[in-house]
Amino acid sequence: MRISKLASVIIAAAVLSACSPSGETGTPTPAPQTRTSSSNSSGNELPARPAALKLDSVDTCKLLTPDQMKQIQAVATRSVQLDLVDGANSASCHYRGEDSFTYTVGAVTHEGVSYWLGDGGNVKTKVISVGDFGAVEIELKGGSGFDCSVAIDVADGQQLMVSYIPTSAKEKDQSVLCGKAEKAAGLALATLKTLK
């Protein structure tokens, strides 16, 4: 079931970003800039979480500041509820880009990142680090160049999920897509740390 949920979210985000009117803006909270680092971890073992950053009352359209939005060339936001992980809708935000792409930032409060480390189904996963938090990079099997998602282990049973979805065929390099998702995830994590 994982594949159908992730695929439907990606398709919906692509369609919605193409239809979003320009000029929609959020009111993000300022946060310091941060660098994101990625490294493979042994197997499916997540590194210890340095702190718990609960997502229960977080406004996902405030997780990227205006400066951070400029860094990823996002120009507009739109709040949505998405079924990112089976079981419940999650508060999410579409960040529409200047060009043909969308970032989706979601606050999943009913399931932790271990959800992605099970049997895998139709997704390929890799344990990475974003900032000082463990995370899982998620790709659709056989879907190279379609999208990339990063789920950060922010609290027990919760994950901050960030997806990068190009809406044109220009971007096909999966490592570039995942690099963009990881960069946006690091920026959103940096802001989340300032909200607690």
Side-chain angles (χ1 to χ4, degrees), residues 107-175:
V108 178
T109 58
H110 66 282
E111 189 76 58
V113 295
S114 60
Y115 172 86
W116 300 107
L117 299 175
D119 62 17
N122 287 332
V123 294
K124 181 172 82 171
T125 61
K126 177 171 74 170
V127 174
I128 62 172
S129 293
V130 175
D132 45 355
F133 282 73
V136 177
E137 184 180 277
I138 307 153
E139 300 175 40
L140 293 173
K141 286 183 181 172
S144 183
F146 187 61
D147 84 307
C148 189
S149 298
V150 173
I152 306 172
D153 177 31
V154 293
D156 288 340
Q158 299 191 354
Q159 57 182 292
L160 176 63
M161 192 167 181
V162 178
S163 300
Y164 176 75
I165 306 127
T167 54
S168 76
K170 290 189 298 186
E171 293 183 285
K172 294 188 183 284
D173 187 332
Q174 192 64 38
S175 64

Side-chain angles (χ1 to χ4, degrees), residues 47-126:
R49 188 184 317 116
L53 303 173
K54 300 288 258 174
L55 297 169
D56 301 286
S57 60
V58 170
D59 181 346
T60 53
C61 284
K62 292 185 177 181
L63 284 178
L64 292 176
T65 68
D67 180 59
Q68 291 169 332
M69 287 176 64
K70 286 178 190 170
Q71 291 178 51
I72 61 169
Q73 299 177 329
V75 295
T77 64
R78 189 170 47 80
S79 181
V80 291
Q81 290 286 320
L82 297 174
D83 189 0
L84 299 173
V85 174
D86 289 338
N89 282 343
S90 299
S92 303
C93 187
H94 289 306
Y95 290 84
R96 188 175 50 80
E98 291 175 352
D99 203 358
S100 300
F101 65 86
T102 299
Y103 288 93
T104 299
V105 177
V108 178
T109 58
H110 66 282
E111 189 76 58
V113 295
S114 60
Y115 172 86
W116 300 107
L117 299 175
D119 62 17
N122 287 332
V123 294
K124 181 172 82 171
T125 61
K126 177 171 74 170

